[in-house]
Amino acid sequence: MKRIFGKPLVTQEHMRTRIKELGRQISEDYVDRPNLLLIGIMKGAFLFYADLVRAIRLPLQVDFLVVSSYEGRSTTSGKIKMITELTEDIKGRDILLVEDIVDSGLTVQYLRKILGKKKPRSLAVCALLSKPERRKVEVAVEYIGFEIPNKFVVGYGLDYQQKYRNLPYLAVLDDADMESGQ
Ligand code: IMP
Ligand code: MG
């Protein structure tokens, strides 16, 4: 990370404000549900997840799934692999999946199908980002932080070839960045 990316698409400040709003809304929507389990979809959601759980004012439990769909490329292969298992039993529970970004929609579609079979009481999705122009399948995403244009973005947990996840804001990765492999 030799240089700071010129154009943050979402600044740290904006991120913080929006995540607080999402936390408030989720807290209201789930106020009567004592059994809430937030499942963070790793690795991309790790920073968003950590901020979101702290913005929710309800007792909740945490769990994680490591899912891989891109295998190092910047366009979707459509192949989704679940690399880890859940540690909690989700039957009869209110489940909120926390994703970094909904792009083609294939990951969310796959997870809804697989987890839906385990008979949770409810299953909803909260994504920090959504690229509606890229959707290949229609999927329900109950909470969205920001809708963004059709650009490849990195930072705040999102990667390009496993790099840039630690950028504290969201930036557009342009062709020059990809070529230089910085
Ligand atoms: P989908 O299955 O096509 O909706 O893609 C979901 C996954 O693709 C996300 O969880 C991300 O890991 C990855 N992804 C999609 N767009 C981007 C991007 O702009 N930057 C980094 N990762 C992305
Ligand atoms: Mg991902």
Side-chain angles (χ1 to χ4, degrees), residues 6-11 14-15 129 146-149 151-154 169-172:
K7 276 177 285 168
L9 192 62
V10 182
T11 62
H14 204 179
M15 199 73 90
L129 306 164
F146 301 93
E147 286 202 342
I148 62 166
K151 302 259 171 54
F152 197 81
V153 291
V154 293
Y169 54 87
L170 194 79
V172 174

Side-chain angles (χ1 to χ4, degrees), residues 61-73:
Q61 290 184 21
V62 303
D63 207 346
F64 308 93
L65 271 181
V66 181
V67 169
S68 132
S69 51
Y70 272 55
E71 288 159 13
R73 286 192 299 274

Side-chain angles (χ1 to χ4, degrees), residues 129-147:
L129 306 164
S130 171
K131 282 194 241 180
E133 284 170 57
R134 296 254 311 161
R135 229 37 122 251
K136 282 189 188 156
V137 290
E138 261 189 54
V139 283
V141 184
E142 284 77 0
Y143 304 94
I144 293 174
F146 301 93
E147 286 202 342

Side-chain angles (χ1 to χ4, degrees), residues 5-165:
F5 289 99
K7 276 177 285 168
L9 192 62
V10 182
T11 62
Q12 289 186 68
E13 189 59 35
H14 204 179
M15 199 73 90
R16 208 172 297 136
T17 309
R18 183 68 187 122
I19 295 173
K20 276 193 188 141
E21 282 172 12
L22 285 172
R24 208 174 305 131
Q25 199 190 331
I26 292 166
S27 305
E28 281 174 19
D29 294 351
Y30 286 86
V31 69
D32 297 325
R33 308 190 187 195
N35 229 352
L36 179 61
L37 176 69
L38 258 72
I39 300 178
I41 309 304
M42 301 294 134
K43 303 171 193 168
F46 82 111
L47 292 178
F48 173 48
Y49 186 86
D51 287 344
L52 185 69
V53 288
R54 285 177 290 180
I56 298 176
R57 299 285 169 217
L58 293 173
L60 56 79
Q61 290 184 21
V62 303
D63 207 346
F64 308 93
L65 271 181
V66 181
V67 169
S68 132
S69 51
Y70 272 55
E71 288 159 13
R73 286 192 299 274
S74 63
T75 51
T76 184
S77 63
K79 262 188 269 156
I80 299 144
K81 266 194 302 199
M82 213 145 98
I83 305 203
T84 60
E85 298 285 332
L86 289 172
T87 64
E88 302 290 327
D89 185 5
I90 67 171
K91 191 168 180 219
R93 306 195 57 182
D94 292 300
I95 306 300
L96 186 57
L97 290 182
V98 181
E99 256 283 25
D100 53 355
I101 183 166
V102 183
D103 187 38
S104 68
L106 290 166
T107 305
V108 167
Q109 183 188 53
Y110 169 81
L111 291 172
R112 276 192 177 275
K113 193 172 131 201
I114 297 282
L115 299 179
K117 285 185 188 154
K118 297 177 191 270
K119 302 264 184 289
R121 176 174 169 211
S122 69
L123 182 57
V125 177
C126 176
L128 177 62
L129 306 164
S130 171
K131 282 194 241 180
E133 284 170 57
R134 296 254 311 161
R135 229 37 122 251
K136 282 189 188 156
V137 290
E138 261 189 54
V139 283
V141 184
E142 284 77 0
Y143 304 94
I144 293 174
F146 301 93
E147 286 202 342
I148 62 166
N150 183 11
K151 302 259 171 54
F152 197 81
V153 291
V154 293
Y156 215 82
L158 288 94
D159 72 304
Y160 171 64
Q161 296 186 345
Q162 299 300 329
K163 284 185 286 186
Y164 310 111
R165 293 193 195 275

